[in-house]
Amino acid sequence: MTETPPALARTFAARTRVPWFNGAGFTTELVSFEDSARHAPDLSPWRLSIAELSRPGSFSAIPGVTRMFCPVGADVVLRIDGATVTVVSHQVLTFDGGAEAELLELPSPCHAVNLMSRDGGAEQAVMRLDEGPPSRAGLAVVRLEGEGRFDVLVPPDDAEAPRLRIERPAREC
């Protein structure tokens, strides 16, 4: 008999914000590497957090992880290893966590949902804007309801709200 993984329902407002690794901002961790390892022990560990974007500045370099970055509430402009990229609100951008990354332009303070997967994990857990029916590969959902609300539900629910889905990628047959 397979054991059911523990639930990971988290309310953003109830979590404690902590400084970024480089001390230049704050983030709120919703799912830690340890939580994800308990929830999905067959996958590489992943971490889900909500960063506060209040001013331009450098990202923390985190070698050995793949970042999936999704601004919520404003479009932003990043420079990643010298290339300038515009990321619109609710668009997911994937890049190397060890890359030299900088937030160049921020029209207004907003948040960013960050999924970080340890090396090899990006092929196992991905983040996407949920624009259709839920897949059977769901690991978590981040509900985007109103200003500053980023509740996480595991397993994913079918609530009628904009949401980001963290899931196992579709496998080619």
Side-chain angles (χ1 to χ4, degrees):
M1 181 167 82
T2 305
E3 185 177 322
T4 303
L8 288 174
R10 303 280 165 80
T11 302
F12 176 72
R15 306 295 288 176
T16 302
R17 62 183 233 181
V18 297
W20 293 348
F21 292 127
N22 69 6
F26 290 92
T27 194
T28 301
E29 185 176 71
L30 296 174
V31 179
S32 69
F33 284 117
E34 294 77 17
D35 291 335
S36 71
R38 281 190 300 275
H39 179 69
D42 59 320
L43 299 179
S44 292
W46 47 273
R47 177 181 185 259
L48 184 63
S49 64
I50 310 297
E52 298 171 22
L53 304 181
S54 59
R55 61 183 167 79
S58 297
F59 279 49
S60 301
I62 308 173
V65 303
T66 298
R67 285 183 185 255
M68 289 169 220
F69 169 89
C70 180
V72 177
D75 300 350
V76 299
V77 178
L78 305 180
R79 182 180 309 134
I80 301 171
D81 283 341
T84 301
V85 181
T86 299
V87 189
V88 299
S89 184
H90 295 102
Q91 175 186 356
V92 177
L93 175 70
T94 301
F95 62 97
D96 181 347
E100 187 176 314
E102 181 180 5
L103 175 61
L104 297 177
E105 294 178 30
L106 178 69
S108 63
C110 66
H111 291 89
V113 180
N114 289 287
L115 175 65
M116 296 183 191
S117 298
R118 291 200 174 137
D119 276 345
E123 292 81 38
Q124 297 180 35
V126 297
M127 181 168 62
R128 68 174 176 85
L129 185 61
D130 189 359
E131 297 175 319
S135 73
R136 296 187 181 272
L139 297 168
V141 159
V142 180
R143 290 192 304 190
L144 309 174
E145 295 182 291
E147 182 63 30
R149 182 163 178 196
F150 303 95
D151 298 334
V152 173
L153 303 171
V154 178
D157 74 338
D158 295 324
E160 292 296 324
R163 58 193 177 250
L164 289 167
R165 188 170 295 276
I166 291 76
E167 63 186 8
R168 299 169 195 255
R171 301 280 183 217
E172 292 183 23
C173 297

